[in-house]
């Protein structure tokens, strides 16, 4: 019997990363300079400037996040459907360009809140294609043995740029003002992410569909929507995204209320980005080796401890550092956990559509969380109530995922399917076979 090639025997871990590193790099930059991190991590630095310039409250400024969320919830499923129909490459690249220009348009803010919110809505609509909905489909199709780790590495761009954007914005604001900060930050996707995406972002699954003329394995949207596991995932992500997203944009103000100096806040805030990177890689490595819902519950209990630390009176610098790191690590696992769960429970057939729909639950929670925290501050002058609510929702969100049960599309299943397809392709190439 002839020796099986790598494609026939299933992908090796080393071979996957050796072939796939250009794809991973394009996703790191595309996601990291897209709709998910840039508005979210920048608003905490820019909100005080907008409040000072126009007299807006923090809650009214943070309301931009759920406005964008509503737009994403409307457009997201359409983006996913387009990714499944015409491919994720054109969708992601077009969205990256449009998102950059709309983000730069915030530099023209004139004090009219309705126009401010309109810009947020437009950014959410045109930037929805820069979310992991599109980028992770290619990673899922290009990696199997180390799918979780590959997703963690690919999506650590949110942590990398979450870490870099805060000190960068502080320098830009102090040196050139908040309008220049919006303008230059919005140009980063065009300067950095777009050239790499044009060269390296390609979906291996699209090649397979075209060459084999067969759909990828998995459930359709209708089949998945009739599966209780679809709604368990949606419910879990709604709960813990609210709890994780709530404190992060309000972090600088929260630390100020806890008595930290400006210099201490500057040194603490970037820890979020570093811990997001750690959460991405550690979470991805863990779900490749252990049952993902169990991993999620354990990792979600950590930021619950972090919220309790910040709820206490006058935490130490070390305590605040620990709390921020714990919340950041949980924020680091959300996107890749969702991508992994979709791949393992519903397969690749309607992956982008399913991600777009389930992302709506995540977006709803992450959009409402910062507003709830901001409203708590406006009403009470602090965040004590919202921190306690976040603690409970983190644990509850993890518990909701436990009934998901065994994977439907395990790695062994996908490797065996690849072997069968490769053998069938060889037989088809032999005349008379």
């Amino acid at each position: 019997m002839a020796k099986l090639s790598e494609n026939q025997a299933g992908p090796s871990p080393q071979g996957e990363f050796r072939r796939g590193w250009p794809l991973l790099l394009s996703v790191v930059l595309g996601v990291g300079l897209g709709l998910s991190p840039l508005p979210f991590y920048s608003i905490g630095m820019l909100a005080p400037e907008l409040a000072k310039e126009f007299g807006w409250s923090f809650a009214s400024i943070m309301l931009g996040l759920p406005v964008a969320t509503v737009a994403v919830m409307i457009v997201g499923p359409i983006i996913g459907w387009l990714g499944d129909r015409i491919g994720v490459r054109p969708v992601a690249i077009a969205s990256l360009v449009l998102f950059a220009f709309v983000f730069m348009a915030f530099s023209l803010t004139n004090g009219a809140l309705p126009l401010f919110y309109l810009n947020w809505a437009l950014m959410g609509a045109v930037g929805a294609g820069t979310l992991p909905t599109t980028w992770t489909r290619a990673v899922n199709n290009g990696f199997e043995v180390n799918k979780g780790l590959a997703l963690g590495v690919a999506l650590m761009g949110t942590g990398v740029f979450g870490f870099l954007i805060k000190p960068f914005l502080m320098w830009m604001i102090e040196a050139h003002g908040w309008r220049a900060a919006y303008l230059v930050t919005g140009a980063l996707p065009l300067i950095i992410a777009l050239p790499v995406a044009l060269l390296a972002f390609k979906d291996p699954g699209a090649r397979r569909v075209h060459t084999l003329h067969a759909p990828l394995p998995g459930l359709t949207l209708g089949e998945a929507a009739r599966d209780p596991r679809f709604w368990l995932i949606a419910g879990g992500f709604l709960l813990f995204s609210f709890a994780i997203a709530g404190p992060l944009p309000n972090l600088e103000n929260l630390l100020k209320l806890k008595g930290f100096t400006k210099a201490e806040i500057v040194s603490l805030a970037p820890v979020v980005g570093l811990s997001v990177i750690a959460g991405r890689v550690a979470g991805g490595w863990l779900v490749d080796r252990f049952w993902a819902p169990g991993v999620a519950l354990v990792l979600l209990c950590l930021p619950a401890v972090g919220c309790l630390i910040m709820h206490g009176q006058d935490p130490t610098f070390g305590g605040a550092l620990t709390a921020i790191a714990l919340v950041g690590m949980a924020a680091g696992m959300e996107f890749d956990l969702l991508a992994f769960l979709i791949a393992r429970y519903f397969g690749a057939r309607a992956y982008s559509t399913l991600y777009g729909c389930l992302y709506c639950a995540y977006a709803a929670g992450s959009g409402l969380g910062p507003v709830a925290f901001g409203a708590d501050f406006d009403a009470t002058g602090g965040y004590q109530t919202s921190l306690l609510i976040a603690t409970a929702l983190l644990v509850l969100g993890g518990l909701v995922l436990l009934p998901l049960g065994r994977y439907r599309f395990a790695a062994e299943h996908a490797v065996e399917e690849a072997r069968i397809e490769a053998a069938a392709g060889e037989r088809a190439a032999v005349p008379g076979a």
Side-chain angles (χ1 to χ4, degrees), residues 121-148:
L122 185 60
M123 183 176 63
V126 304
T130 69
L131 295 170
T133 308
T134 52
W135 305 99
T136 57
R137 178 188 173 101
V139 177
N140 261 312
N141 289 333
F143 292 81
E144 191 57 53
V145 177
N146 279 326
K147 187 187 294 290

Side-chain angles (χ1 to χ4, degrees), residues 18 28 30 79 83 106 109 129 184 213 228 252 280 310 317 359 411:
R18 186 168 56 248
V28 167
I79 291 293
F106 278 113
T109 300
V184 174
H213 303 288
E252 289 82 6
R280 290 266 189 259
M310 294 307 294
F317 185 90
Y359 187 86

Side-chain angles (χ1 to χ4, degrees), residues 239 242-243 373 376 383-394:
L239 295 173
F242 179 101
F373 270 69
D376 188 16
Y383 298 98
Q384 299 301 91
T385 301
S386 48
L387 284 168
L388 284 179
I389 293 173
T391 302
L393 292 181
L394 284 163

Side-chain angles (χ1 to χ4, degrees), residues 398-424:
L399 291 172
V400 167
L401 297 180
L402 293 184
L404 288 175
R406 296 179 60 185
Y407 300 145
R408 179 178 295 185
F409 297 90
E412 294 80 5
H413 168 88
V415 170
E416 178 63 22
E417 183 188 68
R419 180 186 292 113
I420 293 170
E421 285 181 352

Side-chain angles (χ1 to χ4, degrees), residues 362-382:
Y362 169 85
S366 60
L368 292 173
V371 177
F373 270 69
D376 188 16
F377 169 74
D378 288 337
T380 67

Side-chain angles (χ1 to χ4, degrees), residues 156-415:
M156 72 180 185
T158 57
V160 171
F161 290 99
F163 168 70
L164 295 175
I165 199 66
K166 289 179 180 289
F168 174 75
L169 279 171
M170 180 168 292
W171 171 75
M172 281 295 303
I173 291 169
E174 290 181 353
H176 305 287
W178 63 268
R179 294 185 188 274
Y182 267 124
L183 195 62
V184 174
T185 303
L188 295 178
L190 300 177
I191 298 169
I192 300 174
L194 181 61
V196 179
L198 289 171
L199 289 172
F201 182 60
K202 299 172 184 177
D203 179 12
R207 183 173 62 250
R208 171 184 158 172
V209 170
H210 291 314
T211 56
L212 296 178
H213 303 288
L216 293 166
L219 279 64
T220 65
L221 174 60
E223 291 168 340
R226 292 191 292 272
D227 189 327
R229 285 173 286 197
F230 179 91
W231 301 104
L232 287 172
I233 293 172
F237 273 80
L238 174 66
L239 295 173
F240 60 71
S241 65
F242 179 101
I244 293 172
L248 292 181
N250 293 280
L251 181 60
E252 289 82 6
N253 200 40
L254 173 59
L255 291 171
K256 182 179 178 181
L257 292 174
K258 293 298 181 179
F260 291 98
T261 66
K262 185 175 181 179
E264 290 173 326
I265 293 172
V266 170
S267 62
L268 283 169
V271 173
V272 174
L274 292 176
S275 55
V276 165
I277 297 171
R280 290 266 189 259
V281 177
W285 185 88
L286 287 169
V287 298
D288 279 331
R289 288 155 179 80
F290 305 101
W291 185 52
V295 171
L297 176 60
V298 173
L299 293 182
L300 287 170
C301 288
L302 298 179
V305 174
C307 287
L308 289 177
I309 292 174
M310 294 307 294
H311 180 269
Q313 296 297 321
D314 300 326
T316 64
F317 185 90
L321 180 67
T322 301
I324 293 168
L326 293 176
V327 175
M329 284 190 68
M333 74 161 198
E334 289 178 312
F335 291 153
D336 37 326
L337 177 65
L338 179 57
F340 187 90
L341 293 176
I342 293 172
R344 289 291 181 243
Y345 287 106
F346 307 118
R349 183 174 183 178
Y351 173 84
S352 294
T353 303
L354 290 170
Y355 199 115
C357 292
L358 286 170
Y359 187 86
C360 291
Y362 169 85
S366 60
L368 292 173
V371 177
F373 270 69
D376 188 16
F377 169 74
D378 288 337
T380 67
Y383 298 98
Q384 299 301 91
T385 301
S386 48
L387 284 168
L388 284 179
I389 293 173
T391 302
L393 292 181
L394 284 163
V395 178
L396 182 59
L399 291 172
V400 167
L401 297 180
L402 293 184
L404 288 175
R406 296 179 60 185
Y407 300 145
R408 179 178 295 185
F409 297 90
E412 294 80 5
H413 168 88
V415 170

